[in-house]
Amino acid sequence: MKFGVLTFGYDSFTSFADQLANHGFYEANLGDNAQSIAIRHIYRHFGVRDDQMIDINRDALPQYDGEPALLLMNGVFYQSAFPLPAAITPVFVGFHAPEHVIKEQQDFLRKHQPIGCRDEGTTVRMRNLGIEAFTTGCLTLALPRREQEPKNPKLLIVYGSGAGRLPPIVFRSIPENILSKAELIYHRFHASRFPFDLEMRREAELYEEALFARYRREATLVLTPLHHVAAPCMAFGIPTIICRDGNDVRFSFVEKLLPIYTPDKFDQINWNPPMIDVGVVRADLLRVVGNKLIAALHRATS
């Protein structure tokens, strides 16, 4: 029995293929790889060796024909991820899916209830269909706190595109003494092959690991519109500010821990925010994952 780590090939993302054809490259969201990093960390926490882990492409899940594996279903799942092959034993923690996917897969989800969901919106969608569900938050909140804080103040502004765009007007609100010590990081990965092959999936994850190391090493404050920057940075113990054009359901758990500022509230931003202690959230996540892994392993081997 192997322990599956979700990776992301984007095989069904036709918009990426179009961008590649038209422009010679496309950009993928590095936040997906944050989840792969978190899954590996959690497996190691429970004593799973690296040689017991196996990469499994979320975007080609139905075609998986490798060894039997448990798979932590942490992340966003589209219809292209279903049906799961018999070799996969899913472990639902931090799960998110669009409403139509949940409706189409409701019989399958009932077989594995209760479903641990990444956000309140997904939990509500499940319960509305009579599926037992509860909210866990994202597994990136279980990443370990950094061991040492940087001595010199630095704001890292980490942004994306589309829904992950940082509203430019926020720069008017940043105090000059903070902005003068700021650096910008574009949280996207440029790709020249479609879909991601194994080499590119690993390269993207390594790049995200390098960014995580930089956050831990340099940041005294992070400003971001991105879920998978805000959640890991909170776990690292970095004071974090979330600014977005608008809110959405994916942030409903994170919003319990941090305010989400939209342009009408930029004048209310606290530019000296406290570090959020996610110790209780981390402990709860690890407890839930541990229990679910034990149950799934028993189910898969009995």
Side-chain angles (χ1 to χ4, degrees):
M1 177 65 65
K2 294 291 187 178
F3 293 82
V5 177
L6 280 173
T7 59
F8 303 87
Y10 308 108
D11 302 53
S12 63
F13 285 45
T14 56
S15 63
F16 285 178
D18 293 341
Q19 290 173 40
L20 180 61
N22 294 329
H23 305 293
F25 74 97
Y26 60 99
E27 297 175 344
N29 176 18
L30 281 164
D32 291 332
N33 299 279
Q35 297 169 100
S36 307
I37 293 167
I39 290 171
R40 294 187 201 280
H41 166 74
I42 288 172
Y43 283 150
R44 291 168 185 145
H45 173 83
F46 288 113
V48 178
R49 303 187 311 272
D50 285 8
D51 64 357
Q52 294 175 290
M53 301 181 202
I54 185 170
D55 291 0
I56 298 177
N57 182 2
R58 175 198 65 180
D59 302 304
L61 258 177
Q63 289 77 49
Y64 176 77
D65 60 356
E67 297 181 59
L70 304 184
L71 181 63
L72 284 170
M73 300 285 283
N74 177 67
V76 178
F77 289 82
Y78 304 101
Q79 189 55 49
S80 58
F82 300 97
L84 266 62
I88 297 293
T89 299
V91 181
F92 286 95
V93 182
F95 180 80
H96 175 95
E99 186 170 11
H100 73 276
V101 174
I102 294 172
K103 287 182 179 179
E104 291 167 3
Q105 298 299 325
Q106 58 182 294
D107 291 340
F108 171 74
L109 292 167
R110 283 194 187 91
K111 292 179 182 178
H112 298 280
Q113 62 187 359
I115 306 297
C117 302
R118 194 176 79 182
D119 52 82
E120 300 287 352
T122 304
T123 300
V124 169
R125 290 169 181 169
M126 296 277 184
R127 291 175 176 171
N128 286 343
L129 292 170
I131 302 167
E132 293 180 40
F134 61 103
T135 306
T136 64
C138 179
L139 292 187
T140 57
L141 288 164
L143 288 166
R145 185 171 173 176
R146 63 183 176 185
E147 296 179 358
Q148 186 175 355
E149 298 181 10
K151 295 179 180 179
N152 299 317
K154 178 179 283 189
L155 166 64
L156 292 183
I157 302 171
V158 189
Y159 66 102
S161 63
R165 167 184 176 270
L166 182 72
I169 196 173
V170 74
F171 284 90
R172 299 180 184 177
S173 301
I174 304 176
E176 184 176 350
N177 66 312
I178 296 176
L179 188 58
S180 67
K181 299 177 178 66
E183 291 190 28
L184 296 167
I185 296 175
Y186 188 46
H187 198 247
R188 306 282 289 186
F189 184 80
H190 282 208
S192 57
R193 298 193 299 275
F194 177 84
F196 278 22
D197 54 25
L198 179 60
E199 180 183 7
M200 287 188 66
R201 297 202 302 273
R202 289 179 174 170
E203 184 178 342
E205 187 177 333
L206 286 172
Y207 184 48
E208 180 74 330
E209 283 186 343
L211 288 179
F212 278 6
R214 186 176 179 192
Y215 304 158
R216 291 191 295 265
R217 184 176 64 250
E218 299 181 15
T220 54
L221 179 64
V222 166
L223 170 65
T224 187
L226 303 172
H227 185 287
H228 287 113
V229 173
C233 285
M234 279 192 286
F236 298 151
I238 303 171
T240 302
I241 297 171
I242 303 176
C243 290
R244 295 178 53 79
D245 277 322
N247 203 347
D248 68 52
V249 69
R250 295 176 298 122
F251 285 76
S252 55
F253 186 87
V254 168
E255 193 171 13
K256 293 180 176 181
L257 305 171
L258 272 184
I260 295 176
Y261 296 102
T262 47
D264 58 310
K265 298 178 181 177
F266 284 172
D267 61 344
Q268 302 173 25
I269 295 174
N270 175 9
W271 290 102
N272 186 28
M275 182 273 292
I276 303 298
D277 184 356
V278 301
V280 172
V281 174
R282 181 187 292 112
D284 285 346
L285 267 172
L286 291 172
R287 175 182 53 79
V288 169
V289 172
N291 289 340
K292 279 190 165 287
L293 283 174
I294 291 170
L297 190 59
H298 177 74
R299 187 167 64 249
T301 57
S302 62

